[in-house]
Amino acid sequence: MAGNGYFDVAAGAPLHPVAREALAVALADGWADPARLYTQARRARQLLDAARAATAETLGVRADEVAFCANGTQACHLGVLGLLEGRRRVGGTLVHSAIEHSAVLHAAQWHAARGGAAVSVPVDRAGRVDPDAFTAALANGGVGAAALIAASHEVGTVQPVATVAAACDRTGVPLYVDAAQCLGRQPVPAGWSVLSGSAHKWGGPPGVGLLVVRTGARWVAPFPTDERESGRAAGAPALPAIVAAAAALRAVAAESAAADARLRTLVDRVRATVAATVPDVEVVGDPVDRLAHLVTFSVLYVDGEALVHELDRLGFAVSSGSSCTSSTLEPSHVLVAMGVLSHGNVRLSLPADVDETEVDRFLAVLPGVVARLRAQSGAVGL
């Protein structure tokens, strides 16, 4: 179980109790190869088929459109590159927003290194892509595919997927949507050709990626395949984890309305209190059209890594997009694209069952933590 001060479900959510129960059952009954014909294998196949059907029902898609793979990053790479492969005779350009997850950007770089091209569409200061600029990029010709994240994983801003999907439809360009932060929390607008997600973001176990390819989409596997998952993801499926992931997705989707209302109120409190009690702070992302559970702010004159470590010492697990909190030594590309402060950045993403008193405790200790770190670095009286 995660601690009461675990505020980083955008990176990985604790295993949902329903997933834990399903995992135990699947470990007992789903260990055989579902591709074989004997009794144990047929039982495993039944579990796999049931997991696929449950996932499809939750998402409102067909079961034969759902494929499971090793993780969310693999699902992303397969989704983006598979659309480009299917459209290679039409064009080799990928149009994507400037705030896509790094997995999409890595796929774009891989594609460009092999003779393709990628066009990045800017976002506004709230972190929302410009639909007109996206539409103009689609009209340039030679576009093989487009990619748009459903909602920013760093600042929570919901993207205009429906508008962009309509523009893609008018130009005949297939759209890939990274829905990792939305699945189980809110519906994804229609109009996309391929969608991906990651089970450990919604309370399933790690090691399960979700790839949904709509019927009729011109998608061709970009890497070697086998007979598994309709030729979309190679290798034996992690069946017990898949069963648990499907159970968790159905559970969190059923709970989403109540969770959304509660978390939205708490995040509104965080946004208002941080802005009122911490000097020289910028709360970023759209204040209204956003993921209910996520809030990001940046604190001037504070080292982001020191802030994360000090909060951890006090029992709070938070994330950061600051330049000094990762081995890359580069600021968050999302915050840079938005043109907002990236120094001293903190991201809170609250679990559905978060203890409200822990949120209040965080808000109570944060101003003192910031003041202490500023004093230690000599950043006072500025």
Side-chain angles (χ1 to χ4, degrees), residues 31 41 76 78 86 91 153 159 175 177 184 194 214 231 239 273 282 313 324 328 354:
W31 49 267
C76 168
L78 287 170
H153 57 293
Q159 300 302 313
L175 176 65
V177 171
V194 175
R214 300 311 301 264
L239 181 54
T273 304
E282 183 176 12
R313 189 183 67 81
C324 49
T328 63
V354 63

Side-chain angles (χ1 to χ4, degrees), residues 57-192:
E57 182 180 9
T58 302
L59 299 181
V61 300
R62 289 171 39 163
D64 61 0
E65 295 173 334
V66 174
F68 299 107
C69 54
N71 51 61
T73 296
Q74 184 189 59
C76 168
H77 292 168
L78 287 170
V80 172
L81 298 174
L83 283 178
L84 289 167
E85 184 68 21
R87 296 255 300 170
R88 64 188 312 180
R89 293 185 179 180
V90 178
T93 298
L94 172 68
V95 175
H96 62 81
S97 80
I99 51 124
E100 294 300 307
H101 190 278
S102 59
V104 172
L105 302 185
H106 292 158
Q109 293 164 3
W110 191 90
H111 173 65
R114 285 153 182 79
V119 174
S120 178
V121 181
V123 298
D124 61 20
R125 196 170 177 85
R128 181 171 293 102
V129 74
D130 182 346
D132 292 335
F134 209 108
T135 301
L138 293 172
N140 283 335
V143 178
L148 180 61
I149 196 168
S152 170
H153 57 293
E154 289 202 29
V155 302
T157 300
V158 173
Q159 300 302 313
V161 173
T163 303
V164 169
C168 286
D169 183 61
R170 290 193 299 270
T171 53
V173 175
L175 176 65
Y176 160 80
V177 171
D178 172 6
Q181 293 298 335
C182 292
L183 294 184
R185 298 182 182 279
Q186 60 183 45
V188 178
W192 46 269

Side-chain angles (χ1 to χ4, degrees), residues 128 150-152 155-159 181-182 184-187 255-273 283 285-296 348-354 356 359 363:
R128 181 171 293 102
S152 170
V155 302
T157 300
V158 173
Q159 300 302 313
Q181 293 298 335
C182 292
R185 298 182 182 279
Q186 60 183 45
E255 301 159 357
S256 63
D260 185 284
R262 178 171 183 261
L263 293 172
R264 191 168 294 276
T265 298
L266 288 174
V267 166
D268 283 342
R269 185 188 308 172
V270 172
R271 293 181 66 94
T273 304
V283 183
D286 193 290
V288 177
D289 196 9
R290 58 169 174 81
L291 295 173
H293 69 298
L294 195 150
V295 57
T296 299
L348 274 66
S349 47
L350 306 178
D353 61 350
V354 63
E356 186 174 342
V359 175
L363 294 173

